């Protein structure tokens, strides 16, 4: 190799570059790695800071919904942060304190509390109202009441007692079907509750009113109730509430044990026994006998039930048939083959004049009022 006068390496740029990188490559590599680590760290920090301009364009509908809530926290683009905020909010909203259930100490051993298809039968002592009220927050319950002809005389007592005992603390729409809107009384209502008068035609016979009740509930469920309420309770107006009836009754579909048949065998049930009828139930079939005076569920399920019953009644009518107990016969047929998800005990439907109260019936929640059927029904 040719050397310079001072025995140093020639001033060749290529040579200088090779010596530079070769002599200190490890130091430079460390610096590069350190710089990359710093950039990554600060990038993560900046990602935690809300980018407001981008958030307005890219925020999901769920985030918009949360932001609209007055007690929600500022949201970043991090989905995990959104979930965390929601969990924090939910955690601080509700605190439930109640006695622990004892697995080996059932609350009721004197009555059946579960059907063979695992639907609960609701009796006093089988539920905790505080837990259920928390689960059913922010819902609206609709109640259909038919006050045709002179049945309007029952409205005042019905509504007054309902305001005292029915779904206390929840929003309620009382849907009053009547041919006499002027006779609907003015009753003081709790906040979030209202009476909605639905004017309908009357019918010559009370049986025809019963038969067309299913049709009207079905039509209004599709046209209106689906958009206004979450659950629908269908009740007779010639009754009164005498104790608490709350969200423990709510389910996708519920029926109520008839007070006259809850302890009877199926051979005693007054099902429709004519095979030509759409309400026909053979003598070796049947779970319970359900009352037509108190049933309900989600609006969609009530619509399905009432539509099916109405279609069956129209098929019978075309053959010149009328089921023995009209809409109640068709209700029992439907609930036999479309099992209710909850069954209400006779606490939720009783007649003190006709029946002696047994000791296991701790409460009477919804009871018949005295009336002259001949005077009321066909006038």
């Amino acid at each position: 190799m040719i050397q310079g006068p001072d025995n140093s390496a020639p001033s060749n740029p290529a040579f200088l570059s090779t010596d530079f990188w070769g002599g200190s490559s490890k130091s430079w590599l460390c610096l590069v790695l350190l710089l990359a680590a710093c950039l990554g760290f600060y990038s993560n920090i900046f990602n935690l800071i809300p980018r407001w301009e981008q958030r307005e364009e890219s925020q999901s509908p769920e985030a918009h919904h949360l932001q609209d809530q007055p007690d929600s926290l500022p949201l970043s683009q991090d989905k995990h942060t959104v979930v965390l905020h929601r969990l924090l909010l939910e955690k601080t909203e509700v605190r439930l304190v109640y006695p622990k259930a004892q697995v080996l100490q059932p609350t009721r051993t004197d009555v059946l509390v579960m059907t063979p298809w695992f639907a609960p039968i609701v009796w006093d002592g089988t539920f905790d109202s505080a837990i259920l009220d928390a689960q059913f927050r922010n819902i609206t319950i609709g109640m259909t009441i038919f006050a045709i002809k002179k049945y309007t005389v029952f409205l005042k007592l019905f509504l007054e007692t309902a305001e005292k005992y029915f779904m206390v603390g929840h929003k309620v729409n009382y849907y009053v079907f009547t041919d006499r809107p002027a006779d609907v009384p003015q009753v003081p209502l709790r906040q979030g509750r209202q009476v909605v008068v639905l004017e309908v035609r009357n019918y010559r016979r009370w049986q025809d009113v019963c038969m067309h009740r299913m049709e009207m509930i079905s039509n209004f469920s599709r046209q209106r109730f689906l958009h206004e309420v979450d659950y629908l309770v269908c009740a007779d107006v010639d009754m009164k509430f005498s104790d608490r009836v709350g969200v423990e009754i709510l389910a996708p579909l519920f029926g109520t044990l008839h007070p006259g048949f809850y302890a009877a065998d199926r051979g005693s049930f007054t099902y429709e026994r004519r095979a030509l009828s759409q309400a026909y139930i053979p003598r070796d079939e049947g779970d319970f006998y359900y009352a037509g005076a108190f049933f309900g569920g989600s609006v969609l399920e009530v619509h399905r039930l009432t539509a099916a019953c109405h279609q069956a009644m129209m098929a019978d009518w075309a053959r010149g048939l009328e089921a023995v107990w009209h809409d109640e016969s068709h209700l029992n047929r439907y609930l036999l083959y479309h099992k209710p998800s909850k069954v209400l005990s006779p606490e939720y439907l009783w007649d003190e004049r006709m029946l002696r109260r047994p000791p296991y019936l701790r409460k009477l929640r919804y009871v018949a009022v005295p009336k002259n059927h001949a005077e009321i029904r066909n006038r």
Side-chain angles (χ1 to χ4, degrees), residues 129-142:
S129 300
I131 300 174
L132 293 172
D133 281 333
Q135 289 181 325
F136 284 92
R137 288 181 301 162
N138 301 321
I139 64 165
T140 301
I141 301 100

Side-chain angles (χ1 to χ4, degrees), residues 25-289:
S25 59
K26 292 183 179 179
S27 301
W28 279 100
L29 180 60
C30 290
L31 288 173
V32 170
L33 291 176
L34 180 60
L35 179 61
C38 291
L39 289 174
F41 173 78
Y42 284 107
S43 175
N44 288 332
I45 290 297
F46 289 129
N47 281 337
L48 296 177
I49 301 175
R51 299 180 184 177
W52 301 104
E53 297 79 12
Q54 295 179 11
R55 211 159 54 85
E56 289 296 324
E57 298 176 358
S58 62
Q59 190 163 267
S60 67
E62 180 187 25
H64 277 295
H65 172 70
L66 286 173
Q67 188 181 20
D68 289 339
Q69 298 180 5
D71 54 354
S72 60
L73 301 174
L75 301 178
S76 73
Q77 289 178 315
D78 187 353
K79 293 181 180 179
H80 297 291
T81 306
V82 174
V83 174
L84 178 59
H85 288 166
R86 169 175 283 178
L87 290 174
L88 288 172
L89 289 172
E90 291 179 351
K91 184 177 180 180
T92 57
E93 281 181 359
V94 177
R95 183 174 180 269
L96 291 176
V97 179
Y98 49 83
K100 176 188 175 298
Q102 300 298 321
V103 175
L104 301 181
Q105 298 177 19
T107 55
R108 296 293 297 262
T109 57
D110 54 339
V111 291
L112 183 68
V113 297
M114 187 74 69
T115 69
W117 60 92
F118 282 104
I121 303 177
V122 185
W123 300 84
D124 180 60
T126 62
F127 60 90
D128 190 310
S129 300
I131 300 174
L132 293 172
D133 281 333
Q135 289 181 325
F136 284 92
R137 288 181 301 162
N138 301 321
I139 64 165
T140 301
I141 301 100
M143 174 180 277
T144 64
I145 314 151
F146 281 76
I148 307 295
K149 298 182 179 179
K150 281 193 173 183
Y151 274 80
T152 53
V153 301
F154 298 107
L155 274 173
K156 187 174 187 297
L157 179 62
F158 181 95
L159 292 172
E160 287 176 344
T161 58
E163 278 300 286
K164 185 176 181 180
Y165 295 115
F166 181 73
M167 299 293 171
V168 175
H170 298 276
K171 292 177 286 186
V172 175
N173 288 358
Y174 299 104
Y175 295 110
V176 178
F177 292 77
T178 183
D179 61 328
R180 302 178 181 182
D183 292 346
V184 177
Q186 297 291 323
V187 174
L189 302 176
R190 298 171 184 266
Q191 184 177 359
R193 299 155 80 98
Q194 62 177 329
V195 172
V196 181
V197 178
L198 302 174
E199 186 171 1
V200 295
R201 58 161 293 187
N202 63 27
Y203 294 89
R204 183 178 61 85
R205 302 184 311 145
W206 68 268
Q207 294 94 331
D208 294 326
V209 174
C210 293
M211 300 286 276
H212 286 280
R213 180 174 70 146
M214 293 292 190
E215 177 187 17
M216 287 185 271
I217 294 174
S218 172
N219 290 340
F220 275 92
S221 292
R222 183 184 68 254
Q223 298 166 6
R224 181 168 186 168
F225 301 156
L226 278 168
H227 311 292
E228 296 181 353
V229 297
D230 302 292
Y231 291 90
L232 206 57
V233 177
C234 305
D236 277 6
V237 71
D238 53 345
M239 308 282 291
K240 68 177 181 179
F241 292 91
S242 55
D243 210 317
R244 183 189 186 280
V245 175
V247 295
E248 74 276 359
I249 73 172
L250 299 181
L253 184 63
F254 73 83
T256 304
L257 299 180
H258 194 291
F261 297 101
Y262 69 95
D265 58 64
R266 62 164 60 118
S268 303
F269 294 163
T270 54
Y271 290 151
E272 173 56 60
R273 301 301 187 183
R274 292 173 293 175
L276 288 177
S277 173
Q278 294 292 309
Y280 169 66
I281 297 177
R283 292 191 177 275
D284 58 351
E285 293 186 33
D287 302 307
F288 305 108
Y289 190 88

